[in-house]
Amino acid sequence: MSCSPSVCLQGLALSLSLVATGCLGSDLKIAVFLPSALASSSLPSCDVNAVQACKTTLADAIQVIKTSQWQNALVGRYSKVRLDIAPGVYRLSTALDLQWGKGPTHGIPLEIQGTARSTVISGATPLDNWAAATVGNTPARVPESIRSRLKVADISALDLPLQIIPHAWGYGLPIRPVLTELFVSGSAQPLAGWPNAGYGKLARPGGLAPEDKKTFSIEGRNVSDWLAEPSLQIHAFWGNNWSAQSYLVSSKDPSTNTLTLLGNGSPYGILSGQRARVENALVELDSPGEWYVDRGAAKLFYLPGSSFTGKDTELSIAAQLLNIRDSEQVTVKGLIFEKTTGDAVHVSRSSGIVFADLVIRLTGNRGLVIADSADSGIRNSLIEDNGEGGVYLSGGNRTTLRAAGNFVDACIIRRYSRLVKTYRYAVEFDGVGQRVNGSTISDAPHAAIFFKGNDHVISNNEIFNVVRETGDSGAIYVGRDYTVQGTVIENNFLHDITAQSKELDVKGVYVDDQASGITIRGNIFARVQQPVFLGGGRDNVVEKNLFFQSSPALHLDARGLTSQRPATLDPNGTLQRGLDAVPYRDSVYKMRFPNLAKIREDDLGAPKYNVFRNNTIIEGQMANVLVSARSGIEILNNKEVGVSIFEKSMPDYLRVTREDFRTKEY
C-alpha cells in the first residue's frame, strides 16, 4: 500500500488511523460517524476484506478492527492503529467488545482517543415523552399534593428488564447492574423514598425470636402507608454501623405494624435505633427530583423542579460500555464514559491496557474494573458520582508473589458510592503488586482504599472527607488475614476524617483483625480520629509519620488472645483458611516474610514484632497499647511536640494543605 493524503472528516466523525511503517505523516483512515451523519461522507462503507478508507458507525468500527481478515492485512505494513473520536455523544445499549494484541495484531499498539474530554460514550437514552399526570395514567396512591406537578413517561419501548424482581445489594452481596437511573441536566435523581434526607430508625417489636433476622418496623411510620407498594425496599445499617444492605420487603402486616424482608434477612440481625431508609415507594414521591418506575405498567413517574423543560432527561439502559478481554497494548484516552447500569469499563486477562485523561461518571456500579491482568491501569482521570465504587484492580500470582504492576496514578476519585453506602471503595486491590499513587480521594460514606493480597503500594495520595456515614471503619482498610504482607502505605496526606456522630468511630489506616506485615511510613495525619489502628497482628511497622490533632496516634490490642480467640483457633475460620490458601512456609514466602513461616508455632493470635518508631505527635496522645498487647510492640524514638515545630505559623484550622505541615527539621 502506498502513502496517501489524510482524509479530512467533518462534523461528528471518528477517524481510525493506521500509521504506516516507513510512511511517516501519512495515515489511512476509517471514518466512523454517528448513524445520522453517515450519508454526509462520500467514503465507501467499510469492508472487512480490505484495509482502506471507509465509513461506518462506532460499533461497526470495533467489529471491523477485530476481524481476522482485516487484522491479517496489518502484518508487516503498519506499526500502530489509532481511533480518533471526534466530539459528540455516542449512545450505546450494549458494550463494545474488544480483543486486540494477540495473533496478527501482536506488537501493534491500538490507541483509542477522544477530543479533549468532549467525546462522550453514554449508556443512557434520551427520555422526552413526558406527559402530565392524570387520573387515567396515575395510581391512586400518588400523593394528592403533588399530582398536578407530576410527570409520567411511557418506557415500554426501552430494553429494560422490568420483569425481573429487584435484587438485594450492599455489603456481602454481589455487585450487579441496577434496573436503571434517571438523569436530569446531567445529574442523577434520587429514587422515591423516605426520609427525603438522612435516615429514619428501625424499631424491633417485642416477642420476636432471637434468630429472627427479617421482621421489624420503621419508627414513627405506619406499615399501612406502603401496602400497595409492590417493590418496596429498605436500605439500612441493620445490625451494626459498618455494614448496610438494601433488601426487598416480602410482606407487610398492619396488625403488628411490621415489615418482613425477602430471603434470609440481615446476616447481623436487626437492632432498634439503627439507621434506615424506605426506598422505591411511589407513595413517598413527594420531593422535587424523586422518581419511581412502575414495572407492571412500564411507566416512570417524576416530580420535577420548577426549571424542568423535559428536554434534558436520560435513562440509563446499557450495563457496560467497553469490554476489553484477552488483549495487549491498548490505550484509551480523552473520553467520557457515563451513565451505565453496571460497571462502565471492564478489562480481563489482559496486559498493557492503559486509560488516561478520562472522565468516568454516573455509573450504577463501578467506574473501571481491571481483573486478572498485568501492567494495566488508569492515570490523570476524573472518576466521580459512581454507584458502587471507583476502580478495582487484580492480578499477579500469590503463589510466586509475582507482581501485576496494575495502577491508579494521579486520578481524582470522589463521591464513588452513591447507591451502596458500605464496602464500595474508591480503589480496591487484590492479588500482588498493585499501586495507587498521587491521587485525591474524597467525599464518601465508607472506606477509600481496601486491599487483599501482597506487595501493594499506596503512596502520595490525599484522602479526606471519607468514612462519613459509618462506624468501625477506616479510610484505608485491610483485615482478618495474616498473609496480606508486604504492602507499603507511605507519604500520604490523610486529613479531616472524623465520625459524624458520637456513636460512630472511624480510623485513618485500619489494620483490622490481626492483619499483618503492613508498613505505614512517612504519612501526614491531620484531624483524623484514630489515625493508625492495629487490631492485633504482627510485623506491622509504623514509622516517620506526623500526627496532628489525631489522637491516639497508635492503637494496638491483643484480640487474637481475647475476643477473637475462638475464631483464631478455628481450623475452618477465616484466619486459618487464609494461611492454608498460600504456600506461606515455602522458600518464596519464607525469604520475604520469615516470621509468617512459623506463625502457627509462634503464639498464634498474640501480637508480635510490631514497631512504632521515629514518629512525630503534635497536640495529641502517642499511643493506646492495651496491657495484653505491650509485649507485641517496640516503641522508640517518637516525640510529642507543639505547633512551633511547623515552618509556617498559622491558626490550626487554616492548615489544610500538605505544605502547611512541613516541619522545621525536614
Side-chain angles (χ1 to χ4, degrees):
M1 176 180 167
S2 60
C3 298
S4 59
S6 297
V7 177
C8 182
L9 302 179
Q10 303 294 327
L12 293 174
L14 175 154
S15 60
L16 172 56
S17 307
L18 303 181
V19 184
T21 304
C23 294
L24 296 177
S26 178
D27 298 343
L28 175 66
K29 299 183 178 180
I30 296 178
V32 180
F33 292 84
L34 291 170
S36 60
L38 274 174
S40 66
S41 171
S42 61
L43 290 170
S45 296
C46 289
D47 182 353
V48 299
N49 296 309
V51 178
Q52 60 179 9
C54 61
K55 64 181 180 182
T56 186
T57 63
L58 176 56
D60 286 346
I62 297 296
Q63 288 299 115
V64 166
I65 68 171
K66 66 181 185 180
T67 302
S68 59
Q69 291 170 278
W70 190 89
Q71 291 182 356
N72 286 328
L74 302 177
V75 179
R77 301 169 65 188
Y78 302 105
S79 61
K80 182 182 291 185
V81 175
R82 195 178 75 201
L83 281 70
D84 293 321
I85 311 179
V89 180
Y90 297 81
R91 299 187 183 276
L92 304 177
S93 58
T94 58
L96 301 171
D97 187 72
L98 179 63
Q99 290 179 274
W100 185 268
K102 304 290 180 70
T105 59
H106 178 69
I108 303 175
L110 171 64
E111 294 184 0
I112 303 173
Q113 181 169 336
T115 304
R117 292 186 180 177
S118 58
T119 303
V120 180
I121 312 298
S122 173
T125 187
L127 190 66
D128 55 12
N129 60 334
W130 295 104
T134 66
V135 173
N137 66 13
T138 307
R141 69 184 187 278
V142 171
E144 187 65 35
S145 61
I146 61 96
R147 189 182 295 271
S148 63
R149 294 179 288 141
L150 194 65
K151 302 296 182 183
V152 184
D154 187 332
I155 58 173
S156 59
L158 302 180
D159 187 22
L160 292 173
L162 298 176
Q163 75 284 358
I164 297 177
I165 297 174
H167 60 265
W169 56 8
Y171 170 71
L173 298 169
I175 294 179
R176 293 181 288 181
V178 299
L179 171 64
T180 188
E181 286 193 88
L182 177 66
F183 303 93
V184 177
S185 299
S187 296
Q189 303 298 287
L191 192 62
W194 178 90
N196 291 327
Y199 297 92
K201 291 185 178 181
L202 297 172
R204 183 75 165 164
L208 293 174
E211 61 270 18
D212 183 297
K213 299 181 179 181
K214 302 170 61 172
T215 308
F216 63 99
S217 301
I218 300 294
E219 189 175 299
R221 293 300 305 264
N222 293 318
V223 167
S224 57
D225 293 342
W226 305 308
L227 289 178
E229 297 297 340
S231 302
L232 188 70
Q233 289 183 270
I234 309 296
H235 191 154
F237 294 81
W238 299 95
N240 54 55
N241 287 314
W242 52 264
S243 69
Q245 298 89 9
S246 182
Y247 295 114
L248 198 68
V249 171
S250 64
S251 64
K252 316 168 187 84
D253 187 347
S255 67
T256 59
N257 198 37
T258 57
L259 302 169
T260 301
L261 298 177
L262 184 68
N264 296 323
S266 165
Y268 298 103
I270 301 174
L271 295 179
S272 292
Q274 289 294 107
R275 293 166 292 161
R277 292 197 78 251
V278 177
E279 296 181 330
N280 205 31
L282 180 58
V283 71
E284 301 297 345
L285 201 160
D286 58 2
S287 179
E290 288 189 314
W291 61 281
Y292 172 86
V293 170
D294 185 327
R295 293 165 46 245
K299 291 179 180 179
L300 188 146
F301 297 90
Y302 177 57
L303 183 62
S306 58
S307 61
F308 180 73
T309 65
K311 298 300 183 183
D312 192 15
T313 57
E314 301 168 283
L315 210 60
S316 56
I317 59 173
Q320 201 174 93
L321 298 174
L322 178 61
N323 181 34
I324 300 175
R325 55 194 174 89
D326 302 304
S327 295
E328 297 177 356
Q329 289 187 282
V330 179
T331 301
V332 180
K333 56 185 178 180
L335 299 173
I336 297 173
F337 292 99
E338 67 174 21
K339 299 169 185 166
T340 59
T341 63
D343 302 327
V345 180
H346 197 281
V347 177
S348 59
R349 303 182 304 275
S350 297
S351 64
I353 313 300
V354 178
F355 300 89
D357 303 311
L358 301 183
V359 176
I360 307 178
R361 65 191 181 195
L362 298 167
T363 65
N365 297 154
R366 295 162 293 191
L368 171 64
V369 173
I370 298 178
D372 193 21
S373 296
D375 301 317
S376 300
I378 185 168
R379 61 171 61 101
N380 300 320
S381 295
L382 173 63
I383 303 167
E384 63 178 358
D385 297 313
N386 298 306
E388 294 197 59
V391 181
Y392 172 85
L393 302 177
S394 73
N397 188 311
R398 291 206 68 201
T399 298
T400 65
L401 295 180
R402 174 180 53 81
N406 298 317
F407 59 88
V408 176
D409 287 343
C411 290
I412 296 173
I413 309 176
R414 61 194 181 195
R415 300 186 300 273
Y416 47 85
S417 49
R418 287 186 298 111
L419 302 178
V420 174
K421 300 302 183 181
T422 59
Y423 292 88
R424 301 297 188 259
Y425 316 99
V427 181
E428 181 176 0
F429 291 156
D430 202 354
V432 182
Q434 332 296 338
R435 76 170 185 265
V436 53
N437 176 70
S439 295
T440 301
I441 300 173
S442 68
D443 305 307
H446 198 242
I449 299 171
F450 173 89
F451 64 92
K452 296 188 289 186
N454 305 96
D455 297 342
H456 308 303
V457 176
I458 300 168
S459 61
N460 302 299
N461 304 290
E462 180 178 4
I463 303 173
F464 63 96
N465 202 32
V466 297
V467 205
R468 299 286 291 177
E469 297 183 26
T470 48
D472 192 22
S473 306
I476 301 174
Y477 182 89
V478 61
R480 201 165 292 194
D481 193 339
Y482 294 123
T483 73
V484 287
Q485 307 211 5
T487 289
V488 176
I489 303 169
E490 64 181 348
N491 300 326
N492 300 285
F493 179 32
L494 288 81
H495 64 94
D496 300 292
I497 301 170
T498 58
Q500 298 307 294
S501 59
K502 61 183 180 181
E503 70 268 16
L504 304 178
D505 65 300
V506 300
K507 285 83 171 169
V509 177
Y510 194 178
V511 183
D512 195 15
D513 287 344
Q514 304 185 67
S516 300
I518 311 301
T519 297
I520 303 165
R521 176 195 303 134
N523 303 283
I524 297 172
F525 297 89
R527 298 176 293 272
V528 178
Q529 185 178 2
Q530 297 178 88
V532 177
F533 194 100
L534 306 181
R538 48 184 71 192
D539 291 297
N540 296 300
V541 177
V542 183
E543 62 182 1
K544 300 180 180 179
N545 301 284
L546 185 148
F547 301 91
F548 173 71
Q549 295 181 352
S550 301
S551 183
L554 172 76
H555 168 93
L556 175 66
D557 59 52
R559 63 188 62 185
L561 298 177
T562 55
S563 62
Q564 208 173 49
R565 190 62 177 166
T568 300
L569 300 179
D570 182 357
N572 297 312
T574 301
L575 286 163
Q576 298 267 11
R577 286 188 287 109
L579 285 169
D580 294 334
V582 297
Y584 71 98
R585 297 184 192 271
D586 287 1
S587 59
V588 172
Y589 271 76
K590 187 178 293 187
M591 182 178 299
R592 288 291 316 284
F593 316 123
N595 289 327
L596 181 61
K598 60 182 181 180
I599 189 169
R600 276 180 162 139
E601 298 77 42
D602 186 22
D603 298 329
L604 185 66
K608 285 193 168 189
Y609 317 118
N610 297 294
V611 178
F612 184 74
R613 65 189 173 209
N614 301 323
N615 297 285
T616 300
I617 298 92
I618 304 168
E619 295 189 351
Q621 176 189 347
M622 181 180 299
N624 175 33
V625 178
L626 301 192
V627 173
S628 56
R630 288 177 183 172
S631 63
I633 189 167
E634 182 181 23
I635 298 178
L636 69 162
N637 298 329
N638 303 289
K639 55 187 176 184
E640 298 178 80
V641 295
V643 294
S644 61
I645 196 173
F646 291 128
E647 283 187 353
K648 293 191 290 186
S649 177
M650 63 176 68
D652 290 347
Y653 70 90
L654 291 179
R655 295 192 188 277
V656 294
T657 69
R658 187 187 293 260
E659 290 70 27
D660 295 335
F661 294 91
R662 190 180 301 276
T663 63
K664 295 174 182 177
E665 284 107 314
Y666 294 168

